[in-house]
Amino acid sequence: MNRFDSYFAYLGNELQCEGRKLQYLALEYGTPLYVYTARGFKERFQEIDSALSGIDHLICYSIKTNFNMGIITLMASMGSGADVVSGGELYRALKAGISPEKIVFAGVGKTREEIEYAVDAGILMFNCESFQEIELIEEISAAKKKKTAIAVRVNPDVDAKTHHYITTGKKENKFGITVHMLKKYLPRLKQHQNLIFRGIHGHIGSQIITTEPYIQATEKFIALIADLKKSGWGNIEYVNLGGGMGIVYHEESPFDMQMWAKEIISRLTPLGLKLIVEPGRYISGNSGILLTRVTYRKEGEAKTFLITDGGMNDLIRPSLYGAYQNVLNCIKRDGEEIVDVVGPVCESGDFFAKDRKITLTFQGDYLAVMSAGAYCMAMASRYNSRRLPAEVMISEGGEVRLIRKRDSWEDLLRNEMP
Ligand SMILES: Cc1ncc(COP(=O)(O)O)c(C=O)c1O
């Protein structure tokens, strides 16, 4: 199977995954329903792991892309570490059985409470994004009489050539510290007795489909590390290149993982550096879909609308970034038409697809929003007092397991005090 062939594909005219017909899953579990393939998560993880076999490396699955415990537990069972960006994600990673020595903690706004939690847990390292944060980690570590490992997130000012909302490695982005500013801060860092400066971190963006931005960032990082080593920072042993590896949503041609790995390994090996990567979308993106039912087929004067029971609160990428998500009918029919696939939420921006050619579709049909494993359920909300969807995982043997119950009406009111 080609790495980007969908795990959710037509067999005859019925959309299936691991031999399970998706419209039957929709009938059994209700919609909107997220459906994941365990094989997808495993194969993408193994692909990266084997591409990096030539270097001492750690893969830290980026929990933010999809944080269901059924998924984190699956990742833990394969030996994955975790990239977390909040106390909540750290809590999930630890609960799922990921060893603290495989957890890295990024994010520009870590609070005192979150830092204390991670220091107590003994995580592998913090990826620090500001000097204020480093000062606070030092203070907390000193109070707890602990030595805490940090990497500094360096903003390499590299253009990842992706959507501006998901570009993170340019000077004008809020992430990381520039090389120039880091160098000025080093004398102060030297005084911190409770910190071990172990690595350089750099996540330059998401959905990156060429190797060039990674090569540019890596070259900047190794030049910096060579400099640092000369001036007495001998503990620096890690380069963390973050995540960002792109997938296919539509007609993209993402880089080949083996080629990418070769370029990176050849640059890091002469300095004897270890590599951390934090892939999210690459592992989860094509490993999930959203099933949704057509509540109404509304033929307007200007357009035909397929109004689905899933909306922007369940899957926001098209509304948020104008992102393309492929939409397939679970039953392929003869004949096609051009429609808008829209949700029930009271916003004109509530759509999955606009002016899209799809199989002739009727009221009551089930649609699959494809490539919905990353940044979809993870960004779901209860806007319009809509209940969060259910999620199921299909194993390689075709067994289906509910990994999140649909919200009940009572769940909507939980924690509120009338
Ligand atoms: C620090 C960090 N690492 C990893 C990731 C995962 O990125 P992706 O899903 O593009 O692989 C992100 C995404 O925002 C991030 O901020």
Side-chain angles (χ1 to χ4, degrees):
M1 185 158 167
N2 178 298
R3 67 192 174 131
F4 291 122
D5 280 350
S6 181
Y7 294 90
F8 302 88
Y10 286 110
L11 197 63
N13 60 355
E14 290 180 277
L15 202 58
Q16 59 79 47
C17 174
E18 302 288 359
R20 301 295 301 241
K21 292 178 179 167
L22 296 180
Q23 74 159 343
Y24 293 146
L25 287 189
L27 279 166
E28 188 176 343
Y29 292 93
T31 49
L33 174 73
Y34 276 98
V35 182
Y36 305 114
T37 152
R39 188 191 298 274
F41 283 92
K42 288 184 187 172
E43 289 186 356
R44 292 290 73 75
F45 175 83
Q46 285 157 357
E47 182 192 357
I48 301 172
D49 202 29
S50 98
L52 295 177
S53 59
I55 188 166
D56 192 341
H57 68 276
L58 175 65
I59 302 173
C60 293
Y61 168 63
S62 188
I63 284 182
K64 70 172 73 66
T65 57
N66 195 319
F67 51 72
N68 183 293
M69 288 300 281
I71 289 168
I72 307 176
T73 310
L74 175 67
M75 298 309 298
S77 74
M78 289 186 291
S80 180
D83 154 49
V84 303
V85 290
S86 69
E89 288 191 354
L90 175 57
Y91 178 74
R92 284 178 180 272
L94 293 170
K95 281 272 177 203
I98 295 188
S99 144
E101 300 96 71
K102 289 186 177 178
I103 298 177
V104 291
F105 193 164
V108 294
K110 302 175 192 81
T111 63
R112 176 180 288 272
E113 181 194 22
E114 289 175 319
I115 293 171
E116 285 179 346
Y117 181 21
V119 168
D120 287 339
I123 63 166
L124 176 62
M125 70 185 92
F126 286 90
N127 293 325
C128 299
E129 309 235 13
S130 67
F131 305 131
Q132 293 89 335
E133 177 194 335
I134 296 176
E135 298 290 316
L136 185 56
I137 299 173
E138 163 66 14
E139 181 197 318
I140 290 169
S141 305
K144 291 181 181 291
K145 299 194 173 32
K146 293 209 175 180
K147 289 242 183 259
T148 303
I150 63 162
V152 173
R153 178 166 179 176
V154 168
N155 185 323
D157 198 25
V158 161
D159 187 355
K161 302 213 163 28
T162 183
H163 191 287
H164 61 282
Y165 276 19
I166 50 176
T167 292
T168 54
K170 294 277 293 161
K171 257 206 293 230
E172 56 270 31
N173 302 132
K174 69 179 173 183
F175 302 98
I177 296 167
T178 60
V179 170
H180 173 69
M181 290 186 70
L182 172 62
K183 285 189 172 166
K184 277 200 346 206
Y185 176 71
L186 287 173
R188 171 90 185 130
L189 184 55
K190 253 272 136 63
Q191 294 167 6
H192 291 330
Q193 299 298 309
N194 299 281
L195 300 183
I196 309 164
F197 182 15
R198 289 184 89 180
I200 295 295
H201 173 247
H203 170 80
I204 53 176
S206 196
Q207 186 54 13
I208 303 169
I209 56 172
T210 62
T211 53
E212 200 46 45
Y214 286 101
I215 294 172
Q216 280 176 26
T218 305
E219 289 183 344
K220 290 196 176 180
F221 297 156
I222 54 182
L224 169 64
I225 292 173
D227 252 20
L228 290 170
K229 284 194 181 265
K230 269 190 243 150
S231 45
W233 295 93
N235 283 325
I236 299 184
E237 51 182 330
Y238 286 98
V239 167
N240 181 338
L241 287 179
M245 302 82 166
I247 62 168
V248 174
Y249 285 98
H250 189 200
E251 289 169 335
E252 304 87 343
S253 331
F255 57 77
D256 176 80
M257 190 52 71
Q258 293 277 352
M259 295 286 296
W260 175 87
K262 242 191 193 159
E263 298 280 7
I264 304 299
I265 294 171
S266 67
R267 286 168 172 83
L268 298 185
T269 308
L271 282 144
L273 293 162
K274 299 180 197 167
L275 175 63
I276 299 177
V277 286
E278 304 169 343
R281 188 191 309 270
Y282 195 81
I283 290 175
S284 57
N286 285 327
S287 301
I289 60 157
L290 176 70
L291 288 180
T292 182
R293 183 175 183 274
V294 178
T295 312
Y296 299 107
R297 181 193 156 93
K298 177 173 169 179
E299 289 176 16
E301 276 188 27
K303 286 185 166 200
T304 296
F305 297 98
L306 301 178
I307 303 173
T308 57
D309 62 1
M312 65 186 286
N313 69 296
D314 304 301
L315 190 159
I316 201 172
R317 294 186 70 255
S319 311
L320 185 63
Y321 314 123
Y324 182 97
Q325 303 270 167
N326 196 8
V327 178
L328 298 177
N329 193 317
C330 286
I331 303 292
K332 201 190 319 180
R333 298 200 178 88
D334 290 337
E336 287 179 324
E337 60 183 338
I338 292 178
V339 296
D340 277 11
V341 182
V342 301
V345 172
C346 302
E347 300 277 347
S348 297
D350 177 25
F351 66 92
F352 293 143
K354 281 196 169 170
D355 300 317
R356 187 71 61 79
K357 192 189 259 186
I358 71 167
T359 283
L360 201 54
T361 297
F362 301 108
Q363 184 173 11
D365 279 0
Y366 290 104
L367 300 179
V369 183
M370 307 299 285
S371 309
Y375 303 105
C376 290
M377 183 59 185
M379 291 194 189
S381 78
R382 295 191 173 106
Y383 183 43
N384 277 198
S385 279
R386 290 169 46 77
R387 295 170 296 171
L388 288 176
E391 297 173 282
V392 295
M393 173 72 78
I394 307 184
S395 73
E396 285 115 311
E399 294 102 55
V400 181
R401 191 165 69 85
L402 185 67
I403 58 170
R404 186 186 193 282
K405 284 193 291 188
R406 184 177 310 286
D407 274 2
S408 62
W409 298 124
E410 298 78 54
D411 288 331
L412 295 180
L413 307 189
R414 188 156 296 146
N415 297 337
E416 290 178 34
M417 284 150 281

